[in-house]
Amino acid sequence: MGERYVLGLREVDETQVAVVGGKGAQLGGLSRIDGISVPGGFCVTTDAFRRVMAGVPSTDELLDRLSRSDPDDRDTIRMLGARIREAIEGAVVPDDLAVAITGALVELGEDAACAVRSSATAEDLPTASFAGQQDTYLNVVGTEAILRHVSRCWASLFTERAVIYRQRNGIDHRTVRMAVVVQRMVLPDASGILFTADPVTGNRKVATVDAGFGLGEALVSGLVNPDVYKVRDDEIVARTIAAKQRAVHALPAGGTREVTVDSQRQEQPPLTDAQVVRLVRLGRRIEAHFGRPQDIEWCLADDGFQIVQSRPITTLFPVPESGDQENHVYVSVGHGQMMTDPMKPLGHSMWRLTAMVPMHEAGGRLFVDVTRRLAAPTSRAGLLDVLGKGDPLIRDALETVLDRDGFVPTIPDAGPGGPPAGGPPAPLETDPAVVTRLIERSETSVAALERDIRSKTGPALFEFLMEAFEEHKRVLSDPLSIQAIMAGMEATWWLNDKLLDWLGEKNAADTLTLSAPGNITSEMGLALLDVADVIRPHPELVTFLQGVEDDGFLDELAKLPGGAEARDAIEAYLDRYGMRCVGEIDITRPRWRERPTTLVPVILDNVRNFEPGAAERRFEQGRRRAQEKERDVLSRLRALPDGDLKADEAKRMIDRVRTFIGYREYPKYGIISRYFIYKRALLAEAERLVQAGVLPEVEDVFHLTFQEFHDAVRSNRVDDRLVRQRKEAFRSYHALTPPRVLTSEGDALTGAYRRRDDVPAGALVGLPVSAGTVEGRARVVLDMADADLEAGDILVTAFTDPSWSPLFVGIAGLVTEVGGLMTHGAVIAREYGLPAVVGVEQATRLIRDGQRIRVHGTDGYVEILP
């Protein structure tokens, strides 16, 4: 087939983005749906654009310069873009191309008024909407004017905003082509936008209709407030009628103008209720055709709806597949695990295979279906209590769902059933030997895994791993381990409740848990201070580390004076903690052992901000403060009525919390130790696939699930298309914010704090997890490798998993967007004595890097200081 410069809308469909661009392809698809009217028209194809560009050789050099320019250098982009646009608009349209366009216009009716709209090959994609990136011209009349506006559309590929958008999204300017859609102009009585899902709440069953008089430009450009209708199951459930003072109308000779709407008509709805319901039904038909919620532009003329655009709504969080039509309520796993970034398929499939409860994936995140537990009154109360203690926002979001009539059906509690066989477990003694025994069990199990996996390759490795995952779950669900974790947490809650009640003191346990023994995560932070002590006396080592970019730096380091000791210290640290990294529940994330450069900035901060021997001093100071606090609390209790009894009880709980709270961090360390062993074996397998020519690169297996990876090893085949689609989807998931709670209808809920009177106006509210008040400079850090901290800084970040704890030794306070009372960041903050507030919605956006802030760790809010 030769080059085709013009195609009728009905000749194309949504698969032909490369030929007619995103808008043209969508319109072609729309025009094929039964019962949907699309104004007649044609597409000037990307072949035509290529032909014209080839005739303007001066653009080549300008494009090269544009590709090399910095996205932040607006002046250069503006200047180069303007010169490219000028060249394209000034180019003569070749005769055969002009003839093809003119012929298509004759079919539409030569004097017909048309809309001329750009349609780039990179827009209206499921993953990048590019809305409003290129230009649209309305009511263009006459062949000459239409040809001129087609050239303008081609040129609009290089407007400043389109160029910057592509650079920010990593799209090469040379790979994007421009098609142009020419359509018969509709002169509507009313127009607007229909969302087939509620764009604010995400609910897929509620459609939203925005409507105004005249052309839709008035709404899109923000000239008027539209009337807004919400429709569910063919019924209008909410409406807002606005005063529509302006409208945009088409002029007979071409072009458009703003007009004032008659005062009698301003408050009149442009649509009848019946028309609104009819429009939503058309929207549902379009949604079913494209297979996902749509944002649809519509016009109403002579009581008939014409559809002029439909694109996917890219901001909605996807809903987990349930396989049935029942209502479901899902709780985010990431908010509990301190990891709300998307996970790659190998990552989330392995977490699911090693988790204690079934999980569902959506948008690269994992969720647990809690519908059944919410349905029965007793399990509901227990679930709300446990989740609420961890993260009050999750509890609030669940209560919001429960308040909806009948969304979660109530089922009776299971029968009494009698006590479990063997009676309740014996209460746990407050004995450090319990923790020692648990750690030994875990270490033995990890050592056995490391020994037994060595000989396994090919399909046998995957069979071995399936058994290893069962052992993994057995270790995790060890009743003694769970008892030890609960003992520490329950003792903390008891102390906080009782000491508030008896002494009027908030969060007293925070000081009592300072420097608790045996906490692997806080030891990891202190151990990096010891590494800094080895490096500090040697200025040459510091200078060398400041320039390190390559992960193989340790051998080079050893060649410098004092370098061998420094290398050994870092190596010993990596032997103990190298399996950790940010986002460590995703096995595909690079571990410190694989990317030791991650630790270099933190080591350098420690060299700069601390004196020798800081680790031991820090631990000792915390221990002393905890002892002083204990003496103080007990003596104040003894002075109360029944004081000796209260003091004895409190002493018992203080001993209990100090015995068990450190162990809270150990099971995660055990999991991640196992994960690194699995990972190394799997990477060796991926390496074999690369050598056999089955895969282009090792990390492609990260985009396969565990089962698909197993199949690939068995069959020596991988579907390249699947890997490409997964990579694209993973990229798109970064733009989505996972909700704490999600319903099967698509409602995304983040929950709210019930406002308290003691929070000053303008303060950011969160959850108090570590007592004290501190004021300092906010450092907003989204990637640990970019941390550049001075003593006294307050760390503000999205979430902190254990890998962040090396930063905790050098800061004065902590603010995070995600977290609860017993999540890692909170436990370590208490142990280091850092005032901390977690669960502060959008903290990294609302607090600017370098601002002075005051963190109220006892009352749970953050003030931004002038």
Side-chain angles (χ1 to χ4, degrees):
M1 163 183 158
E3 294 197 329
R4 293 208 47 195
Y5 296 136
V6 172
L7 289 170
L9 272 183
R10 286 184 168 272
E11 291 180 77
V12 298
D13 64 21
E14 55 271 34
T15 62
Q16 285 164 280
V17 173
V19 183
V20 294
K23 196 170 286 158
Q26 288 284 104
L27 283 166
L30 279 167
S31 62
R32 292 163 173 242
I33 306 172
D34 202 24
I36 300 296
S37 299
V38 174
F42 60 88
C43 300
V44 182
T45 65
T46 52
D47 284 341
F49 173 75
R50 226 185 328 237
R51 172 86 190 274
V52 169
M53 288 295 277
V56 195
S58 62
T59 56
D60 276 358
E61 186 243 344
L62 293 169
L63 270 172
D64 282 342
R65 286 170 60 191
L66 195 58
S67 297
R68 290 196 302 269
S69 63
D70 180 340
D72 295 325
D73 182 357
R74 289 292 181 88
D75 293 340
T76 303
I77 287 174
R78 199 174 294 129
M79 181 270 293
L80 291 169
R83 285 177 57 188
I84 295 172
R85 290 200 304 277
E86 220 170 287
I88 296 171
E89 284 188 43
V92 175
V93 176
D95 288 350
D96 51 342
L97 178 47
V99 165
I101 295 173
T102 312
L105 274 172
V106 170
E107 279 182 48
L108 269 191
E110 259 180 287
D111 298 326
C114 290
V116 182
R117 313 169 75 190
S118 9
S119 176
T121 52
E123 67 174 4
D124 294 349
L125 309 175
T127 54
S129 82
F130 283 74
Q133 290 302 317
Q134 278 89 31
D135 295 351
T136 286
Y137 301 98
L138 298 177
N139 202 38
V140 182
V141 180
T143 308
E144 203 176 313
I146 284 171
L147 281 171
R148 195 168 61 247
H149 283 87
V150 167
S151 290
R152 280 192 186 169
C153 283
W154 288 331
S156 76
L157 197 56
F158 297 98
T159 59
E160 184 185 352
R161 62 173 184 231
V163 169
I164 289 171
Y165 190 91
R166 287 198 292 274
Q167 280 178 309
R168 294 247 155 94
N169 283 278
I171 294 164
D172 180 356
H173 301 302
R174 293 178 176 283
T175 60
V176 183
R177 310 249 182 263
M178 180 64 86
V180 181
V181 177
V182 180
Q183 270 179 298
R184 188 185 272 281
M185 184 74 192
V186 181
L187 300 177
D189 309 312
S191 58
I193 299 162
L194 156 65
F195 296 98
T196 62
D198 188 319
V200 179
T201 65
N203 192 305
R204 308 302 202 263
K205 296 216 165 161
V206 175
T208 303
V209 175
D210 290 6
F213 292 116
L215 290 168
E217 293 310 289
L219 300 192
V220 176
S221 63
L223 187 65
V224 296
N225 286 330
D227 291 354
V228 182
Y229 299 87
K230 291 194 184 293
V231 179
R232 185 183 174 112
D233 299 332
D234 282 352
E235 189 190 331
I236 295 174
V237 291
R239 75 179 76 220
T240 316
I241 304 298
K244 295 163 292 298
Q245 291 160 356
R246 324 277 298 152
V248 174
H249 282 273
L251 296 170
T256 61
R257 70 162 184 179
E258 259 181 62
V259 296
T260 305
V261 177
D262 247 4
S263 56
Q264 291 84 28
R265 288 185 67 213
Q266 286 182 7
E267 302 277 345
Q268 237 183 326
L271 297 179
T272 65
D273 286 4
Q275 284 171 330
V276 171
V277 170
R278 197 169 90 218
L279 173 62
V280 170
R281 282 189 193 150
L282 293 175
R284 293 279 175 232
R285 195 174 280 193
I286 294 169
E287 177 182 62
H289 173 84
F290 289 120
R292 53 192 300 167
Q294 298 287 306
D295 155 357
I296 298 165
E297 290 173 33
W298 56 269
C299 298
L300 176 72
D302 307 325
D303 194 36
F305 284 107
Q306 300 260 359
I307 303 300
V308 292
Q309 178 64 341
S310 184
R311 57 171 78 91
I313 308 177
T314 54
T315 53
L316 296 175
F317 199 86
V319 178
E321 300 272 328
S322 68
D324 61 35
Q325 295 302 303
E326 306 294 310
N327 290 348
H328 292 270
V329 182
Y330 302 98
V331 169
S332 160
V333 171
H335 285 80
Q337 287 294 340
M338 299 293 90
M339 158 63 179
T340 52
D341 291 348
M343 296 166 79
K344 293 188 178 129
L346 187 63
H348 58 67
S349 67
M350 284 189 68
W351 192 257
R352 287 169 76 171
L353 285 167
T354 52
M356 303 310 299
V357 289
M359 291 178 180
H360 305 261
E361 182 272 337
R365 277 76 166 192
L366 291 172
F367 294 86
V368 173
D369 185 342
V370 294
T371 324
R372 284 200 68 79
R373 287 171 69 189
L374 284 176
T378 308
S379 61
R380 175 191 311 159
L383 182 72
L384 291 175
D385 184 47
V386 168
L387 291 177
K389 276 200 171 103
D391 182 343
L393 292 177
I394 289 182
R395 178 181 182 131
D396 182 76
L398 287 173
E399 284 173 340
T400 306
V401 176
L402 288 167
D403 286 344
R404 292 185 190 160
D405 287 348
F407 186 81
V408 178
T410 300
I411 58 172
D413 283 315
L428 197 58
E429 290 293 310
T430 300
D431 178 3
V434 171
V435 174
T436 314
R437 191 157 80 244
L438 283 167
I439 289 173
E440 278 168 6
R441 271 189 210 174
S442 173
E443 285 174 347
T444 306
S445 172
V446 169
L449 170 67
E450 193 148 24
R451 185 187 64 235
D452 297 344
I453 205 167
R454 280 189 199 131
S455 57
K456 307 289 187 289
T457 58
L461 169 69
F462 289 82
E463 279 137 35
F464 170 80
L465 282 172
M466 287 309 286
E467 286 169 35
F469 296 163
E470 290 313 305
E471 165 67 2
H472 180 122
K473 290 198 271 198
R474 194 193 62 69
V475 172
L476 260 189
S477 59
D478 179 342
L480 187 65
S481 176
I482 291 164
Q483 266 186 294
I485 293 170
M486 289 313 296
M489 284 162 58
E490 282 163 357
T492 307
W493 296 328
W494 188 95
L495 284 166
N496 279 337
D497 288 349
K498 293 294 187 193
L499 297 181
L500 180 62
D501 197 17
W502 293 339
L503 299 174
E505 189 168 334
K506 281 186 191 169
N507 300 354
D510 293 1
T511 314
L512 294 166
T513 52
L514 286 171
S515 298
N519 185 321
I520 189 91
T521 310
S522 59
E523 285 166 6
M524 176 168 86
L526 296 173
L528 208 57
L529 287 176
D530 292 335
V531 172
D533 286 355
V534 178
I535 291 163
R536 194 179 292 105
H538 304 284
E540 269 184 87
L541 297 184
V542 175
T543 309
F544 171 77
L545 288 173
Q546 281 163 343
V548 158
E549 281 173 11
D550 174 23
D551 284 312
F553 69 91
L554 288 169
D555 294 338
E556 288 302 305
L557 182 71
K559 296 174 187 166
L560 299 168
E565 292 82 358
R567 181 197 55 196
D568 293 349
I570 294 173
E571 283 285 0
Y573 187 86
L574 290 171
D575 285 345
R576 181 123 170 87
Y577 304 111
M579 75 294 285
R580 307 219 85 147
C581 65
V582 172
E584 59 192 10
I585 70 170
D586 180 352
I587 200 167
T588 72
R589 299 282 280 257
R591 313 281 132 179
W592 289 344
R593 175 48 89 188
E594 297 170 304
R595 196 173 287 172
T597 44
T598 312
L599 293 172
V600 171
V602 193
I603 294 171
L604 289 169
D605 282 350
N606 287 349
V607 167
R608 193 174 66 239
N609 295 334
F610 290 93
E611 296 294 313
E616 205 175 329
R617 271 200 310 283
R618 285 289 297 268
F619 190 76
E620 233 354 87
Q621 277 164 354
R623 215 169 56 85
R624 274 205 307 278
R625 276 185 59 201
Q627 283 172 341
E628 284 159 19
K629 184 70 178 172
E630 179 179 324
R631 281 197 295 273
D632 166 60
V633 163
L634 296 179
S635 73
R636 282 158 62 203
L637 286 175
R638 287 205 175 88
L640 298 174
D642 287 338
D644 286 348
L645 202 65
K646 287 177 175 143
D648 289 350
E649 258 189 292
K651 171 67 177 144
R652 214 171 53 245
M653 284 302 174
I654 292 169
D655 290 348
R656 197 164 177 77
V657 88
R658 289 193 71 78
T659 300
F660 291 117
I661 202 69
Y663 178 71
R664 155 78 181 81
E665 291 291 301
Y666 196 85
K668 181 83 171 269
Y669 174 79
I671 292 172
I672 301 305
S673 301
R674 302 177 80 86
Y675 254 43
F676 194 31
I677 298 169
Y678 306 152
K679 182 176 188 178
R680 284 196 284 207
L682 288 169
L683 283 177
E685 219 39 64
E687 196 70 65
R688 276 188 279 279
L689 290 178
V690 170
Q691 273 157 8
V694 178
L695 276 182
E697 50 191 77
V698 167
E699 295 198 348
D700 283 356
V701 296
F702 294 166
H703 295 280
L704 302 175
T705 64
F706 182 80
Q707 192 51 58
E708 289 163 350
F709 190 176
H710 188 180
D711 294 342
V713 166
R714 263 200 301 249
S715 65
N716 257 344
R717 272 211 314 276
V718 169
D719 179 350
D720 300 339
R721 214 180 56 240
L722 176 71
V723 171
R724 266 202 316 279
Q725 280 169 350
R726 293 268 177 81
K727 284 181 179 176
E728 189 53 49
F730 180 70
R731 259 202 303 277
S732 74
Y733 295 153
H734 282 278
L736 300 171
T737 303
R740 282 176 166 80
V741 170
L742 186 63
T743 73
S744 46
E745 290 187 348
D747 283 300
L749 300 134
T750 51
Y753 293 103
R754 297 294 156 224
R755 293 293 311 188
R756 302 189 304 276
D757 304 334
D758 58 351
V759 175
L764 308 179
V765 183
L767 180 65
V769 295
S770 184
T773 301
V774 68
E775 200 173 294
R777 176 178 69 154
R779 292 317 308 256
V780 180
V781 179
L782 297 177
D783 180 345
M784 190 172 141
D786 300 335
D788 178 15
L789 298 165
E790 299 288 344
D793 282 349
I794 295 167
L795 175 64
V796 179
T797 187
F799 55 80
T800 61
D801 58 14
S803 71
W804 286 74
S805 68
L807 293 185
F808 283 24
V809 297
I811 56 176
L814 174 71
V815 179
T816 67
E817 294 181 343
V818 175
L821 207 54
M822 283 297 163
T823 44
H824 302 277
V827 173
I828 305 306
R830 287 195 289 274
E831 200 153 304
Y832 285 168
L834 298 175
V837 180
V838 302
V840 179
E841 273 295 289
Q842 298 200 344
T844 58
R845 293 191 199 125
L846 299 172
I847 299 170
R848 284 200 314 280
D849 188 48
Q851 269 183 326
R852 285 195 72 73
I853 60 174
R854 190 181 295 130
V855 177
H856 295 263
T858 310
D859 292 316
Y861 62 91
V862 180
E863 286 179 280
I864 298 175
L865 303 174

